[in-house]
Amino acid sequence: MNAANSAFKAIADPARREILRLLRQGEMTAGDLACHFDMSKPTMSHHFAVLADADLITRRREGQTIWYGLNSTVLQDVLAWMLDLAGNLPSERKP
């Protein structure tokens, strides 16, 4: 699956979008992120894996702690594609 398809699949889920939003503030541990959700650890791990597979997040291990960070490069590429697809906005079109 190419990067854009993986990114669309990843951001289709509201919980994963919320994880990305939380990571805009900076790196967070899995536990820090999990406290914002009412779901099991395996479910959280699945969301982290989908986001990592889409290259939307980074992860680094520090001892037994895993730190997650936002990798906005793929999102920027998807946004650029969407803007290109949309073309000029209606207010920018000339008669």
Side-chain angles (χ1 to χ4, degrees), residues 77-92:
D77 291 345
V78 169
L79 181 59
W81 174 82
M82 291 175 71
L83 290 172
D84 183 55
L85 181 66
N88 292 335
L89 297 175
S91 62
E92 296 175 347

Side-chain angles (χ1 to χ4, degrees), residues 9 34 46 64 66 71:
K9 176 187 173 193
H46 170 74
Q64 294 213 331
I66 299 176
N71 179 11

Side-chain angles (χ1 to χ4, degrees), residues 27 58-68:
E27 283 188 325
T58 61
R59 41 183 168 189
R60 67 178 176 85
R61 183 174 291 278
E62 196 173 280
Q64 294 213 331
T65 304
I66 299 176
W67 288 86
Y68 292 94

Side-chain angles (χ1 to χ4, degrees), residues 6 8-9 16 18 23 33 36-37 45 48 60 78 90:
S6 295
F8 281 119
K9 176 187 173 193
R16 292 193 285 266
E18 180 63 11
L23 289 174
L33 288 162
H36 292 273
F37 300 90
S45 292
F48 296 146
R60 67 178 176 85
V78 169

Side-chain angles (χ1 to χ4, degrees), residues 1-13 16 20 49-56 73-75 77-79 81-82 85:
M1 186 181 304
N2 72 31
N5 288 346
S6 295
F8 281 119
K9 176 187 173 193
I11 62 176
D13 186 275
R16 292 193 285 266
L20 294 174
V50 171
L51 290 167
D53 288 346
D55 204 24
L56 294 171
T73 305
V74 174
L75 284 175
D77 291 345
V78 169
L79 181 59
W81 174 82
M82 291 175 71
L85 181 66

